[in-house]
Amino acid sequence: PRAGVALLSWCGLSCMLTMRSSSALALAFALTASPEAAEAFGLRPPVLSSSPSLSRAGVARAGSRGVKMVATAPTSKFEKMRFKYGKPSLERGISQEMKDAQKIAGFDYSDFESAIAKFDNTFQVGDVVVGQVVQFEQGGALVDIGGKSSAYLGAAEASMQRVDDIEMFLSIADNREFQIISGEDENGQVRLSIRKLEFARAWERVRQIQAEDCTIMAEILSINRGGALINFEGLRGFLPGSHAPQGMTEDTVGTMIPLKFLEVDQAKNRLVVSNRRAVVETKLVNLEPGQLVTGIVRSIKPYGAFVDIGGISGLLHISQISHDHISDVSKVLQEGQEIKAMILTQDKDKGRFSLSTKTLEAEPGDMIRNPEMVKENAEETAKRYHERLQAEQQARDQAASELVAGLDLNALSSEELVA
């Protein structure tokens, strides 16, 4: 009907002028009839006066641009539209004249509500939408996401990095994903974020890397008493001093180092990494228990000594220095001393391995009496040690075979065989 077309046309034009919405523009293009039909629905725009007055739906306030209506509590979008253009609430009743006009037009308020709803996109906080950058404003940008009005992207939400100029990160007509971080304001505008999307995706990537136990390269941002702060894909992580490279100084800031993840907890915003694990797994890939290595004593402790083996640190426990009892490690070893030792165990997950020198003693107490002699004869002693272990293993296997061969299996019951 002509009145219905006129009603939608007038409302579309009003929305276009006030909200600049793509859906409102679609309505405005239907402007082909007289606006008198819209008046039958009580939607004729008001004439603003320069003096404040009271209305049934709210309070009028004087402002620099005329009278501004303050809503009390419109119950629907259509009620809000009536209130916006200065018409009384439908809750107070519809005049007979308006009812007659609707009957002639064949288009009532419920039909109008349905028509408006077709052009309404409802967005929820947390939704990820695709939008196009349409305009830059001071401190941000307007983005068309198909809503009632353009959404707003603040400069602080444009990236995980610091943003001084948003135009360095975005361009007009860019199409990309955004996350909605606020509900609609009084103008139907929502606020957007790229930073939250990047943040969530960075954590997802970190969790995947940890699950696959991959080694990453990350930048050292700063050094403190407990260790260092690192940056990986915009996320900040903590590198404990016990897992940091030896001799780390302020000159190390800005350099890239290999790391593995120790702890990943997005809920607590906690990211802990280890350089030691990454280095150990790289350098120990060909090292096995029983292998002879050469190292430098780096520190002496009451319970043993830490030995540097090609950039990684292993523990030589006090009980593994000599077959004879040792009460003071510093009386046998000194910092900076070069020694040869045998790898006893290794734990790649924790980046640790243990050493032994007592397995290299030809006679018990050689490490206490003459550690240099133990070092010089280490290869020969280690060879004899392995031969002895092999002979012992063969003897055990032989004894087990003879035991089985001497059993009368036919005389044993099935329960005894299982036992």
Side-chain angles (χ1 to χ4, degrees), residues 209-216 239-240 242-245 257-264 272-285 311-313 346-353:
I209 292 174
Q210 184 193 34
E212 297 175 357
D213 198 28
C214 297
T215 299
I216 64 167
L239 173 62
S242 59
H243 287 266
I257 60 173
L259 299 169
K260 277 185 175 288
F261 292 111
L262 293 180
E263 182 180 351
V264 175
V272 183
V273 295
S274 171
N275 171 256
R276 187 177 71 185
R277 270 200 62 198
V279 172
V280 165
E281 292 190 10
T282 300
K283 295 190 175 183
L284 287 186
V285 74
I312 55 178
S313 182
Q346 61 175 330
D347 187 338
K348 290 185 177 181
D349 290 337
K350 296 183 178 180
R352 301 172 181 172
F353 65 98

Side-chain angles (χ1 to χ4, degrees), residues 336-347:
Q337 179 181 351
E338 183 180 85
I339 65 171
K340 289 187 178 180
M342 184 178 293
I343 296 177
L344 283 183
T345 61
Q346 61 175 330
D347 187 338

